Amino acid sequence: MIVADRKSISEIRDMIKGHDRVLLVGCGTCVTVCLAGGEREVGILGSAVRMSLKLIGRGHVVVDECVIERQCEDAFIDALAIRGVEYDAICSLGCGAGVQALAERFPDKAVYPGLNTQFIGILENQGVWAEKCAACGACRLGEFAAVCPITRCAKRLFNGPCGGSRQGKCEITADRDCAWQLIYDRAKALGILDKFEAVAGLQDWSTSTDGGPRKVVREDQCIASLE
Amino acid sequence: MNDNPVILAFCCHYCAYAAADLAGSMRLQYPANVRVLKLPCTGKVEVNYILAAFERGADGVFIAGCLEGGCHYLEGNLRARRRVERAKKILQEIGLEPERLEMYNLSSAEGPRFAQIATEMTERIAALPPSPLRPDRATVEKNVQEMAAAAQAAVAGDNR
């Protein structure tokens, strides 16, 4: 899932304080699961922002809250379309895609991000999320025993480990596992260490963000173009 | 200084609420500023509940749960403690004194301890100015009573 965390209350307050009516919009998917932008977090932010505005003498600013099921898909924004008219600004507690989807749907309104979108990751422990995927567009997990060296090795080495691997930890910080130790351990357990005799090939970065904004097109699904 | 603060106490059914009851049975005196909101467990307390109390004008809030290790639901009071810590940070960030909020632990047999907590918290809040978010006192009183009644109704609904 996409993992995000909330911007500081003062940063959000300062973004919206020039408006008179603001709608905080949460999202019911990834950011709900990572406890950044779901119903509860929108409620907490709403209370905090209203109090904060009142304390700086902007208590007349209306700050309301709602959550839609999925911000990154226009069909789900329908539920918001009528209500959105009542506000002059929207603060999204969705990921960067959600913020931009709202901005595209409401071209005449200010739309602000309430979250900092961090990465694609998974829950590691209660309250701890870890990055697992860099969305490089050319997945090579099959070559590396299903441990991503791009995301999890600090140097993004395809032929690791480097000399900074210390008892299974990365030299960057003692609480970060060395990705290449993980790759080695898993490959050994699977009996596929011989695969690492060969030098790993170069990565095609043209499929990553180096090639500019990306699109995925499934022609069999493009019904509209047939009409 | 605030000579008549309104303090909302989120009390666990299994400990603090029973202790408050016991304090009453023991005819113990404590300041009349504390309004009790009963919950099945302090693990039910979310950060937005705490903030809602301050937003409605409460001068102080305390959460009173079971002794650590003694939660009826195993870890509700530990969760509450972490949420109180988070709420304190939010209060600080928006410019409200974090000491307006506190977490306490006690057992159901500690009537005198409940009276002591209520007194200690009232003295602490009385030493601060009234909450800058506070409307007139009657409105705060009404808001807090409504919160307590809503919680009571929700708990009653859960038990149906």
Side-chain angles (χ1 to χ4, degrees), chain A residues 6 8-10 40-41 43-44 46-48 50-52 54-55 126, chain B residues 46-48 51-52 54-55 79 86 90-91 93-96 132-133:
Chain A
R6 200 195 65 217
S8 72
I9 292 161
S10 49
R40 188 193 307 152
E41 296 303 316
I44 291 169
S47 266
R50 282 190 294 273
M51 289 193 278
S52 183
K54 196 168 179 185
L55 290 171
Q126 280 186 324
Chain B
E46 294 286 357
V47 174
N48 46 345
L51 297 184
F54 284 110
E55 193 181 354
R79 289 174 185 271
R86 183 174 176 217
I90 292 175
L91 292 182
E93 195 182 346
I94 64 173
L96 210 57
L133 299 162

Side-chain angles (χ1 to χ4, degrees), chain A residues 2-186:
Chain A
I2 293 170
V3 178
D5 62 355
R6 200 195 65 217
K7 287 180 177 291
S8 72
I9 292 161
S10 49
E11 184 179 352
I12 294 171
R13 179 200 64 202
D14 290 345
M15 281 192 291
I16 65 171
K17 69 181 178 187
H19 300 280
D20 289 326
R21 294 183 61 82
V22 180
L23 183 62
L24 303 180
V25 183
C27 178
T29 48
C30 311
V31 294
T32 292
V33 180
C34 71
L35 308 179
E39 191 174 348
R40 188 193 307 152
E41 296 303 316
V42 171
I44 291 169
L45 180 67
S47 266
V49 168
R50 282 190 294 273
M51 289 193 278
S52 183
L53 286 165
K54 196 168 179 185
L55 290 171
I56 61 164
R58 298 278 299 161
H60 67 278
V61 177
V62 174
V63 178
D64 288 339
E65 304 143 19
C66 75
V67 179
I68 57 175
E69 195 172 337
R70 197 183 302 167
Q71 272 190 32
C72 58
E73 207 166 315
D74 197 50
F76 288 92
I77 307 177
D78 283 346
L80 193 64
I82 299 169
R83 194 169 176 201
V85 177
E86 301 166 28
Y87 299 89
D88 46 48
I90 290 172
C91 178
S92 160
L93 272 82
C95 67
V99 177
Q100 292 177 72
L102 291 180
E104 285 172 17
R105 183 64 179 261
F106 299 103
D108 58 339
K109 289 193 197 306
V111 176
Y112 301 105
L115 303 182
N116 291 317
T117 306
Q118 299 291 347
F119 49 75
I120 299 173
I122 61 175
L123 183 72
E124 191 173 79
N125 253 318
Q126 280 186 324
V128 179
W129 291 266
E131 185 173 14
K132 300 291 178 187
C133 176
C136 68
C139 186
R140 292 173 64 182
L141 280 167
E143 292 176 49
F144 301 106
V147 176
C148 178
I150 297 174
T151 316
R152 299 171 70 180
C153 169
K155 291 178 177 172
R156 301 186 167 195
L157 291 181
F158 285 103
N159 293 284
C162 71
S165 180
R166 300 267 189 277
Q167 290 169 339
K169 299 294 177 188
C170 176
E171 65 181 338
I172 298 270
T173 160
D175 65 0
R176 184 172 302 170
D177 290 328
C178 167
W180 273 96
Q181 184 71 54
L182 298 175
I183 292 169
Y184 178 86
D185 290 345
R186 196 169 146 74

